């Protein structure tokens, strides 16, 4: 399903949702069906906040005293405008929401592809997240623990200690083009929580990504599509490849998020093998017609 | 005769000066690393820029001098006025020698000079002569033995990594205790150290053990003689000794006060034989002030006046100088016997901004700063890949560390512009080599398995790795795989592809130097 078609199909639902009161929406979220909250607007932080609100607010995902990981993409030595790393404002906003919801501690980190110090600095995420109250740190090779992921491609694999110990994981990927998996969205972003020979994962990338999604099961996924990298992903570099989409999507269903993410690239969920596999393994809903959609706009 | 327990003000001033400069040296060395800014304001090259020997040999060898090196004229003037303050008061290697020398309890009794002293003292001048003559013939060997270059290199690739290794190990051990009370203190301390003082990661270097041991060996020679290196081997000391012959600061012993105890000879760290006057080798004096401090009758003083060249000059014997020069020239020819000079060397991927190889060899002083600052631990000292004259010059080994796309640090810290400081825009386009697939090892080619980790990491935009789609038949049926290809025009040779290639030991994509921008001959395309 192409994005335009998808939006057309759901325009009725969208209009309905736009005027719905938050409590109605909360009730809707509780009905059990997958809810996908989409907010468009230039202010990415406000959009993220609104998108989470539509799901009933952060307190639905974070309990008092929780240790929470907000997991952005900090993988590359690129500035936010180059759309290779998650929008720092979105990350900071989620940190703030989690702390407001009573989180004891919010941790932000990523296992980077370029040198960590450069990626962190360039991404702007540590500054923004720290200001919002997060504990931002570099991964430390000592803190990986071999665990049984129990996946189809990944069995025993080193996972970062903090990810093992956290009460909640909030995944905050950015939507990007990727040559092998076609796009990289929510599920693939979880690769930042593991260590080991990640460069071998490409050989069974789709299945591995689904293994990670099944293992980590984030409490909430917020897809940053404020700026989307349409080509030369996943690290880009050329501003001409970046499309300003001013969109933030949030859901507890990471498969639905990735199915929606596909439409941003004029792809369908079924075009993405990892989405198909994740659906087949019962991790979430890939059929967006079966998803309860709440689309709002900031203006 | 018992020595005085206290030390004189002058000696104390010397020790304070040495300590301050040594601390400054280590501080700058620690700052010669990425600390979150793209520009490093105070790299440790400042110490090299104050070294007159580097200025002279770089000028002779390359006829081009990085502007910063003119700072060393400060020490030329200081030496002409005061004598070898560089050696005694400034040089970090000298300070380390003094420190190690002080660990041994020396007899307070003067011993007569041995053959080691009388012959050894001349050796450094012959070394200097050989280095200068080689430089005239544009072979730049100074970095091998220049004290500052040697110290920076030894710390950069040997000593610092070893210290790092130990510190990381200690904190690792504390971490593994898993006792909250300990890790609550040790972990923040560790993080602070990593961000400020020690290396962020655990860099290791080819030949690091060898270069480090060589350095420790030189320090250990202090147990044979105080400042063994400075007395007998240091070419910079030799140069400054020549300059100091006419300095205005003169060493004086008041004969009426002197009680002939000769403790000044025993405590002299330069082997200058302060007493009697006819044995005094003024040029060997590093102004350590030990004679001044140890003299029980305060007979020693330093006074300004008309330059009084000491009675006893080190007799270099013109014959030997010529012999050293001759040996230098003969070895020049041998050094130049290096076929790789003409053909280029596939493994010799130089850092971005490096000037053309022949010019590079004339400029590089093998100080190792670029290796220290390289954020990926990708730059390493060569052994003989660049010929003998290129020993310990920097080479990128992508399997160990790649050239980080947005980083320009190596060019910033190079003291001699062997690696020119490129601005970011120029750096992003600078080709240092070219990547080649080894189709016998590359997963899609060799086994029909999708991979393209190399493409994912390729930093250029558009990417220098593209694909051909191919349908292969495997046991699981027909499969579409992506066969990667390098676009030679776009590839800059940064080597991240080789670094991340999942094929163990020898990567399936490897960078070689061909196509590097700096060479007109080491080319590949029309």
């Amino acid at each position: 399903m192409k994005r335009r078609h998808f939006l057309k199909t759901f325009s009725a639902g969208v209009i309905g949702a736009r005027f719905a009161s938050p409590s109605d929406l909360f009730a809707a979220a509780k009905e059990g069906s997958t809810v996908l909250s989409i907010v468009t607007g230039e202010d990415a932080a406000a959009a993220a906040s609104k998108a989470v609100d539509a799901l009933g607010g952060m307190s639905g995902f974070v309990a008092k005293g929780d240790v929470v990981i907000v997991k952005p993409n900090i993988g590359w030595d690129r500035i936010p405008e180059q759309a290779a790393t998650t929008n720092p404002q979105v990350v900071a906003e989620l940190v703030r929401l989690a702390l407001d919801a009573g989180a004891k501690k919010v941790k932000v980190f990523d296992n980077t592809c370029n040198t960590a110090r450069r990626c962190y600095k360039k991404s702007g995420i540590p500054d923004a997240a720290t200001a919002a109250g997060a504990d931002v740190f570099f991964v430390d090779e000592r803190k990986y623990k071999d665990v049984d992921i129990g996946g189809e491609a990944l069995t025993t694999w080193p996972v970062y200690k903090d990810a093992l110990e956290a009460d909640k994981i909030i995944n905050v990927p950015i939507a990007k083009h990727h040559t092998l998996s076609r796009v990289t969205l929510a599920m693939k972003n979880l690769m930042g929580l593991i260590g080991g020979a990640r460069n071998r994962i490409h050989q069974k990338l789709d299945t591995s990504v689904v293994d990670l999604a099944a293992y980590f099961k984030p409490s909430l996924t917020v897809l940053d599509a404020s700026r989307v990298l349409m080509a030369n992903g996943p690290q880009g570099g050329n501003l001409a490849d970046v499309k300003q989409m001013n969109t933030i999507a949030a859901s507890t269903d990471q498969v639905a998020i990735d199915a929606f993410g596909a439409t941003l690239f004029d792809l369908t969920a079924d075009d993405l093998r990892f989405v198909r596999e994740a659906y087949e393994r019962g991790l979430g809903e890939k059929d967006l017609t079966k998803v309860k959609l709440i689309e709002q706009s900031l203006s | 005769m018992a020595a005085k327990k206290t030390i004189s003000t002058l000696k104390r001033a010397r020790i304070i000066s040495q300590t301050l400069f040594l601390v400054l040296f280590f501080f700058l060395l620690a700052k010669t690393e990425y600390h979150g800014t793209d520009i490093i304001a105070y790299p440790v090259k400042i110490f090299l820029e104050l070294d007159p020997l580097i200025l002279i040999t770089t000028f002779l060898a390359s006829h081009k001098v990085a502007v910063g090196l003119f700072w060393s004229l400060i020490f030329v003037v200081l030496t002409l006025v005061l004598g070898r303050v560089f050696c005694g008061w400034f040089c970090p290697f000298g300070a380390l020698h003094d420190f190690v020398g002080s660990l041994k309890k020396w007899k307070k009794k003067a011993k007569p000079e041995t053959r080691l002293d009388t012959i050894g003292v001349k050796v450094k001048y012959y070394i200097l002569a050989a280095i200068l003559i080689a430089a005239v013939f544009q072979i730049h060997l100074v970095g091998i033995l220049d004290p500052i270059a040697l110290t920076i290199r030894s710390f950069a690739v040997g000593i610092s990594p070893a210290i790092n290794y130990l510190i990381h190990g200690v904190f690792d051990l504390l971490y593994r205790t898993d006792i909250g009370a300990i890790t609550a203190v040790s972990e923040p301390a560790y993080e602070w150290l990593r961000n400020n003082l020690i290396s962020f990661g655990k860099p290791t270097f080819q030949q690091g053990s060898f270069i480090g041991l060589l350095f420790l060996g030189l320090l250990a020679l202090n147990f044979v003689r105080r400042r063994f290196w400075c007395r007998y081997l240091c070419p910079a000391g030799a140069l400054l000794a020549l300059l100091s012959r006419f300095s205005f600061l003169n060493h004086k012993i008041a004969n009426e006060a002197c009680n002939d105890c000769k403790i000044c000879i025993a405590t002299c760290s330069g082997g200058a034989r302060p007493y009697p006057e006819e044995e005094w080798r003024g040029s060997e004096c590093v102004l350590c002030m030990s004679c001044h401090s140890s003299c029980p009758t305060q007979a020693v003083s330093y006074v300004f006046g008309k330059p009084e060249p000491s009675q006893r000059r080190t007799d270099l014997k013109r014959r030997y100088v010529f012999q050293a020069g001759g040996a230098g020239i003969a070895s020049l020819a041998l050094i130049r016997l290096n076929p790789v000079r003409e053909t280029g060397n596939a493994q010799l991927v130089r850092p971005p901004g490096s000037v053309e190889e022949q010019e590079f060899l004339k400029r590089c002083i093998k100080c190792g700063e670029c290796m220290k600052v390289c954020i990926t631990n990708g730059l390493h000292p060569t052994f003989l890949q660049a010929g003998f004259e290129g020993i310990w010059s920097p080479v990128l080994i992508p399997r160990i560390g790649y050239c980080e796309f947005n980083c320009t640090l190596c060019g910033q810290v190079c003291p001699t512009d062997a690696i020119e400081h490129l601005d970011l825009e120029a750096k992003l386009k600078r080709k240092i080599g070219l990547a080649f697939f080894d189709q016998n090892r590359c997963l899609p080619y060799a086994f029909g398995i999708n991979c393209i980790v190399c493409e994912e990491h390729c930093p250029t935009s558009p990417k220098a790795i593209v694909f051909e789609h191919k349908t292969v038949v495997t046991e699981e049926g027909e499969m579409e795989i992506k066969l990667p290809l390098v676009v030679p025009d776009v590839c800059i040779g940064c080597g991240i592809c080789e670094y991340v290639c999942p094929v163990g030991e020898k990567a399936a994509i490897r960078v070689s130097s061909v196509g590097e921008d700096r060479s007109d001959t080491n080319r590949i395309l029309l």
Side-chain angles (χ1 to χ4, degrees), chain B residues 63-93:
Chain B
H63 304 162
K64 274 226 176 69
V65 174
V67 184
L69 290 176
F70 285 104
W71 286 111
S72 65
L73 292 176
I74 293 172
F75 270 110
V76 172
V77 173
L78 280 176
T79 310
L80 288 171
V81 176
L82 300 172
R84 291 171 62 183
V85 278
F86 182 96
C87 306
W89 293 57
F90 170 76
C91 178
F93 200 22

Side-chain angles (χ1 to χ4, degrees), chain B residues 6 11 30 82 148 151 296 299 353 494:
Chain B
T6 56
K11 184 175 173 182
L82 300 172
I148 307 290
T151 307
C494 73

Side-chain angles (χ1 to χ4, degrees), chain A:
Chain A
M1 188 184 300
K2 301 280 192 240
R3 181 166 186 259
R4 254 155 298 178
H5 176 57
F6 160 71
L7 289 178
K8 206 157 67 185
T9 315
F10 286 93
S11 54
V14 171
I15 289 162
R18 202 169 277 170
F19 297 103
S21 74
S23 57
D24 291 344
L25 297 172
F26 188 48
K30 277 189 168 171
E31 277 167 14
S33 66
T34 287
V35 181
L36 181 62
S37 158
I38 297 159
V39 177
T40 53
E42 269 182 37
D43 183 341
S49 178
K50 192 160 185 161
V52 174
D53 271 352
L55 299 175
M58 190 59 94
S59 54
F61 311 106
V62 171
K64 277 208 167 32
D66 273 354
V67 174
V68 178
I69 288 176
V70 170
K71 165 62 182 70
N73 186 327
I74 325 180
W76 305 97
D77 181 15
R78 300 290 194 203
I79 55 173
E81 289 74 15
Q82 289 169 319
T85 49
T86 308
N87 187 327
Q89 301 316 317
V90 174
V91 181
E93 184 60 25
L94 291 168
V95 169
R96 223 171 279 125
L97 292 175
L99 287 172
D100 287 349
K104 187 168 72 183
K105 196 166 207 178
V106 179
K107 300 176 178 182
V108 174
F109 64 93
D110 194 10
N111 184 359
T112 62
C113 297
N114 288 124
T115 46
R117 284 173 291 170
R118 289 198 63 91
C119 294
Y120 271 49
K121 180 76 189 173
K122 199 76 91 55
S123 73
I125 289 172
D127 289 343
T130 308
D135 183 11
V136 185
F137 48 84
F138 296 111
V139 298
D140 177 339
E141 62 193 67
R142 302 171 305 173
K143 298 189 179 172
Y144 286 101
K145 278 189 182 166
D146 281 337
V147 296
D148 182 12
I149 284 182
E152 290 178 12
L154 304 180
T155 49
T156 300
W157 204 269
V159 174
Y160 206 64
K161 185 171 172 273
D162 295 78
L164 293 171
E165 293 169 356
D167 297 306
K168 303 284 161 56
I169 295 173
I170 298 175
N171 191 14
V172 198
I174 175 169
K176 295 189 285 181
H177 162 259
H178 189 277
T179 315
L180 193 57
S181 58
R182 304 191 70 168
V183 292
T184 163
L185 301 160
M187 290 190 268
K188 189 171 179 300
N189 194 46
L190 297 169
M191 280 180 73
L193 298 176
I194 62 168
R198 297 193 302 169
N199 55 358
R200 299 208 178 104
I201 286 181
H202 269 218
Q203 292 157 35
K204 291 181 179 174
L205 184 62
D206 293 294
T207 310
S208 302
V209 157
V210 179
D211 287 345
L212 294 177
Y215 179 74
F216 287 111
K217 290 200 181 69
S219 307
L220 174 66
T221 300
V222 179
L223 177 69
D224 167 27
S226 53
R227 306 178 189 99
V228 178
L229 183 61
M230 304 302 291
N232 282 310
Q235 63 168 315
N238 189 345
L239 292 177
D241 296 332
V242 178
K243 191 167 166 189
Q244 195 82 27
M245 289 199 179
N246 295 328
T247 303
I248 303 288
S251 178
T252 53
D253 183 334
Q254 48 187 339
V255 184
I257 285 277
D258 282 4
F260 166 73
T263 64
L264 302 171
F265 297 86
D266 282 345
L267 298 169
T268 69
D270 285 327
D271 288 333
L272 303 177
R273 189 171 153 189
F274 61 89
V275 174
R276 289 198 313 268
E277 280 192 27
Y279 170 75
E280 281 156 20
R281 283 162 67 175
L283 297 180
E285 183 55 65
K286 75 176 163 91
D287 183 351
L288 292 171
T289 60
K290 293 181 183 156
V291 169
K292 184 167 184 64
L293 183 90
I294 304 168
E295 196 176 25
Q296 305 177 88
S297 161
L298 281 182
S299 49

